[in-house]
Each structure stands twice: as C-alpha cells, then as structure tokens.
Amino acid sequence: MSMNIAIDGPAGAGKSTIAKRLAKELGFIYVDTGAMYRAIAYYLLKNEISATEEEIKAACPDIDVKIAYENGEQQVLLNGENVNGVIRTQEVSAMASVTSSYPVVREKLLELQRSLAANADVIMDGRDIGTCVLPGAQVKIFLTASSATRAKRRYDELVEKGETCDLAEIEREIVARDERDMNRETAPLMQADDAVFVDSSYMDIEKVVETLLDIYREKTGK
C-alpha cells in the first residue's frame, strides 16, 4: 500500500518548497497540484478565454495536462508542452485561484492526482488535499503563515526573478485569495479534522522540514 502525505494551506505558506524538501528526505514523489491548476489557467489566458464556467467548460476538452518526472523533478505538460517556466506569474496565479473553484476543472485533474497517489508514495500539496483529494492520506498537515510573512516571501521570490512588484499589493492579493479560497462553494480551503496545524511564520525552511519530519515519524512510527 502506498504512503500518502497531504499538505494543505493558503497561498504563499511555503507548501511547495517544504513538500519538495520533505519528498527528497523521505524518497517520496512530490506532486504539485497547484501547478496543474496553473497550467489550465495559463491555457485560458494564452487563448484569451474568459474565466466564466460556461467558457471554461467548453474549453476543457481541448486541454490535456500530464505529469512527468525528470531527475526527480515534476514537469507539467500542457498539451505536450513543458510549461514549468511560464506558470508562476502573478497573472496565472490569480486566474488559477478563480478557475480552480469550478467543478469541471477540479474533476479534470482529480483522477490524475488520485491515480498518482494510489501507485506511489507521494507528498501532495494544495488547498483541499486532505479534505477532498486524498481524504485517506496517512499523514495530513495544514501549513500556514501570516499574510505579511507570505507576502514578503512572494515579493522576494519575484524580485529574485527580476520582476517589478509592490509588497503591499501582493499582500492585498493574498488576503483576497484567502477569502476566495476559504469561501468557494466547491472544495474550500480548510483544515482537515485529522490534520496537524503548523504555523511557519517564524520558522526557516530547515525548521519547518524538521517539524514535518517529526510529525511523519510520530504518525507512522518510522
């Protein structure tokens, strides 16, 4: 039986960074579900399709998202094209926040996500992994941080890429996204009843990884 770790939490909490490190430590496959949603959002933006449920439903049959692994790193393929390098912009993230709430988008990716988890030891991060995607995961974490901390992390990431951005605007967008994610009708962002709450506001990466490893060992006895 495969071992699954679900890491949920709001945007900018460091889920992907921590999950990748944890996967390397444990020898698991890392599955970045957010990247899958961003791939669909990128397709919609690239093809100038508006974020209405009707238009997205019509577009979905033309969208093919697959996951491949190269040197242990997840590669997201959109209609055969590797889009890892173009799906991390603010524009794509904002579109993904809106479109991921539509059932037709979630259903398109759910089968792929569950199939990956059923056939391998995986760490999967997102907004609703422990509550909806993998409710049977043996280890569940709800990883969060203050909006100010998350905004600063995102700001530093964008500046490092050479992008011009405004810290206050990034925090406003994060707060707005939290509001959308927590109040959407389909699979809202929430902590699973059996998830362990971890606030990383005052932790560095090493400390968070260490904390999650301790939780894994406690839950599994390994």
Side-chain angles (χ1 to χ4, degrees):
M1 181 180 177
S2 60
M3 177 68 69
N4 297 163
I5 300 176
I7 303 179
D8 289 311
K15 300 185 300 296
S16 297
T17 300
I18 299 304
K20 287 177 186 176
R21 289 284 297 273
L22 204 59
K24 189 173 183 180
E25 289 280 346
L26 296 172
F28 281 30
I29 289 174
Y30 165 62
V31 181
D32 178 0
T33 62
M36 300 178 190
Y37 288 105
R38 289 189 190 95
I40 291 180
Y42 174 73
Y43 177 91
L44 298 173
L45 288 167
K46 185 179 179 182
N47 291 278
E48 299 181 346
I49 297 168
S50 65
T52 64
E53 189 164 13
E54 184 178 347
E55 290 202 29
I56 292 170
K57 188 173 183 179
C60 269
D62 299 322
I63 304 173
D64 179 54
V65 178
K66 285 188 171 64
I67 296 296
Y69 291 90
E70 186 177 312
N71 299 321
E73 291 290 323
Q74 175 179 284
Q75 311 297 320
V76 181
L77 306 179
L78 173 63
N79 294 342
E81 176 191 356
N82 188 323
V83 292
N84 273 30
V86 294
I87 58 174
R88 298 291 175 181
T89 66
Q90 286 290 94
E91 185 181 21
V92 171
S93 292
M95 174 66 100
S97 176
V98 174
T99 57
S100 64
S101 66
Y102 293 136
V104 66
V105 174
R106 306 194 71 79
E107 288 164 12
K108 188 170 186 68
L109 297 177
L110 189 59
E111 183 178 352
L112 172 59
Q113 292 163 356
R114 286 181 172 165
S115 176
L116 288 167
N119 293 290
D121 294 337
V122 304
I123 294 177
M124 198 174 292
D125 75 287
R127 305 289 188 279
D128 63 341
I129 307 304
T131 53
C132 297
V133 181
L134 301 177
Q138 295 91 333
V139 180
K140 298 179 186 179
I141 309 290
F142 190 84
L143 182 65
T144 190
S146 69
S147 60
T149 297
R150 289 185 281 138
K152 183 62 166 61
R153 289 172 181 169
R154 181 62 175 157
Y155 174 84
D156 291 343
E157 179 184 324
L158 293 171
V159 168
E160 190 175 338
K161 291 180 180 178
E163 296 186 30
T164 301
C165 50
D166 178 78
L167 180 59
E169 178 59 27
I170 290 173
E171 184 169 7
R172 283 193 292 272
E173 290 177 359
I174 282 175
V175 171
R177 182 166 184 176
D178 286 351
E179 184 70 17
R180 287 197 302 271
D181 288 348
M182 289 187 293
N183 292 289
R184 67 191 185 194
E185 185 175 342
T186 302
L189 167 66
M190 61 185 297
Q191 181 179 343
D193 291 339
D194 52 348
V196 180
F197 182 87
V198 177
D199 187 336
S200 69
S201 297
Y202 302 103
M203 296 184 191
D204 60 19
I205 292 173
E206 299 298 334
K207 180 61 177 175
V208 179
V209 172
E210 181 184 328
T211 299
L212 268 58
L213 280 172
D214 286 344
I215 293 169
Y216 170 79
R217 293 177 185 126
E218 182 182 342
K219 290 283 186 180
T220 64
K222 295 184 179 182

